[in-house]
Amino acid sequence: MSKKRPVALALAGALCLVTTACADTTDKTGAEGGAAAAAARTGYPVTLENCGVTQKFTEAPGRVVVMNGASVAEVSTLLALGLGDRIVANQQRYGMSEVKGRAEAIKALPTGDVKLNDAYDVPREAMIGLRPDLVLSTTSYGFDEKNGFATREQLKDVGAHTYVSPQGCDQDTSKMTVADSYTLLRDMGKIFGRTERAEELIAESQKNIADVAAAVKGEKRPEVMVLFSNMVMGGNDFSSVVAKGIYNDILAKAGGTNAFASASRTSFADLSKEKVAATDVDALVVIGYNDPNPAAYARKLLKEFPQWPAAKNSTYVAVSDSMYLGPSNDLAVRKIAEMLHPDKF
């Protein structure tokens, strides 16, 4: 991903979901009765209302294209559900992960040998040529014709379903929470007939987060700066500082608060060095995206602002994909909590 491309596009989009069990369980004869019995056994058809578009699945998709969006939410969710063999082209990669083996598993997925467009994603003609039956996009940006992409209608015409991830319909990720990661898991579970596995993953994550929250309950909440490592998104010195979104939900669950939550109405703030210097920062969370050493960036910042409490105590942590929408938010909660409240673990 170009470091000048807005990371905000990485974060997934708003979704209203309705799932209906469409199997007819009444006694019927002939083909109609057989179809109803088959549906009852398989759980299909499944219908989703996604960003105003109704999607009806009569079987699990087998040719999935995962668009870039500067995210790994969708591909990580599919891998967590054991669906890597359904992917014919994946454009999401992080290079690192809190989950052992995840980055290597993503790297091993097919790319479809696609020549990407200027947005580092799959252009319309190449997308059609991949013959997908499901295309996943982090936000509605990936289906925008003016950006050179195949629209949802065009993909429907060639037999492909489409899905925009939670909070991506209007590309406003400022309201995103960990619950949206669970929605993405549940939706993929329903689409692919892996509902039981999805619910197991959600229950495990919820328990892990609840355990951390219980450990830090009643503790003072440090003021935390969250930003992307060596990422340029605006015109100021600090243009990839997190203000809102899923990051704040993860921070809260870990027993912290965002020092720059009021700096922007959107997910990210574009701040001057003076503004950053004037803010008391108790701890630093650096998110690595295609940066092999985000911890080095964190240490550099602490040297640059020695007046911060974070610098005096060398309080920082580097994270990667667990801070994004995806199946591993509980790992970020634990890692940050251990940094903020080490005596509790």
Side-chain angles (χ1 to χ4, degrees):
M1 186 189 95
S2 167
K3 291 183 178 179
K4 293 183 180 180
R5 188 176 175 219
V7 172
L9 293 178
L11 305 174
L15 162 81
C16 26
L17 166 68
V18 178
T19 304
T20 56
C22 301
D24 186 347
T25 56
T26 57
D27 291 334
K28 294 178 186 255
T29 58
E32 187 177 358
R41 287 194 302 272
T42 64
Y44 293 98
V46 169
T47 302
L48 302 181
E49 179 77 17
N50 177 238
C51 295
V53 178
T54 300
Q55 305 281 304
K56 184 176 181 180
F57 296 84
T58 57
E59 61 182 355
R63 294 185 59 81
V64 183
V65 175
V66 184
M67 299 188 74
N68 182 354
S71 177
V72 285
E74 293 74 26
V75 70
S76 294
T77 298
L78 293 182
L79 289 175
L81 291 171
L83 297 167
D85 61 338
R86 311 295 179 90
I87 300 171
V88 296
N90 171 58
Q91 300 306 326
Q92 296 184 352
R93 50 191 43 81
Y94 226 114
M96 60 181 70
S97 175
E98 267 77 60
V99 180
K100 186 177 180 180
R102 173 71 51 76
E104 293 76 14
I106 291 174
K107 186 177 180 180
L109 291 171
T111 64
D113 296 322
V114 173
K115 182 179 179 180
L116 302 181
N117 60 17
D118 291 341
Y120 298 91
D121 221 326
V122 184
R124 178 172 49 252
E125 295 77 10
M127 179 65 77
I128 301 301
L130 288 168
R131 298 181 294 108
D133 56 9
L134 175 62
V135 180
L136 305 181
S137 179
T138 302
T139 73
S140 57
Y141 178 93
F143 298 121
D144 193 328
E145 191 167 28
K146 73 174 182 291
N147 297 321
F149 299 124
T151 65
R152 302 187 80 177
E153 188 63 33
Q154 289 166 346
L155 287 165
K156 180 182 178 182
D157 288 344
V158 297
H161 294 93
T162 50
Y163 180 90
V164 177
S165 290
Q167 302 301 337
C169 295
D170 57 2
Q171 302 183 45
D172 178 10
T173 60
S174 64
K175 301 179 184 68
M176 186 181 292
T177 68
V178 172
D180 291 309
S181 293
Y182 299 153
T183 296
L184 178 58
L185 266 169
R186 282 196 173 100
D187 288 354
M188 293 301 108
K190 290 165 184 171
I191 288 170
F192 288 93
R194 299 288 175 90
T195 292
E196 185 175 346
R197 177 56 179 155
E199 293 301 329
E200 288 174 354
L201 290 168
I202 291 167
E204 181 181 4
S205 173
Q206 289 174 328
K207 181 184 183 303
N208 291 341
I209 290 174
D211 288 346
V212 171
V216 302
K217 185 178 181 181
E219 294 296 303
K220 181 181 178 182
R221 293 179 170 268
E223 295 284 336
V224 185
M225 181 182 190
V226 183
L227 77 168
F228 281 78
S229 175
N230 289 305
M231 183 72 70
V232 178
M233 293 169 55
N236 283 296
D237 293 316
F238 292 90
S239 57
S240 64
V241 177
V242 168
K244 293 177 173 57
I246 193 170
Y247 317 97
N248 288 4
D249 192 25
I250 289 171
L251 274 184
K253 287 173 167 57
T257 189
N258 190 338
F260 296 94
S262 62
S264 174
R265 293 182 180 179
T266 61
S267 296
F268 295 92
D270 186 8
L271 305 176
S272 67
K273 183 176 180 178
E274 292 72 22
K275 169 66 175 175
V276 170
T279 304
D280 284 333
V281 174
D282 297 317
L284 194 61
V285 174
V286 173
I287 307 170
Y289 182 88
N290 288 338
D291 182 348
N293 197 350
Y297 179 74
R299 290 190 293 269
K300 175 186 171 185
L301 279 185
L302 295 181
K303 287 181 180 179
E304 189 174 356
F305 301 99
Q307 74 278 13
W308 284 349
K312 295 172 183 177
N313 301 312
S314 192
T315 308
Y316 73 90
V317 68
V319 294
S320 57
D321 59 337
S322 61
M323 281 295 281
Y324 263 11
L325 182 80
S328 309
N329 297 150
D330 58 318
L331 300 183
V333 171
R334 162 70 68 161
K335 199 169 183 179
I336 294 169
E338 289 176 346
M339 180 262 294
L340 295 177
H341 305 284
D343 58 322
K344 295 296 179 180
F345 298 93

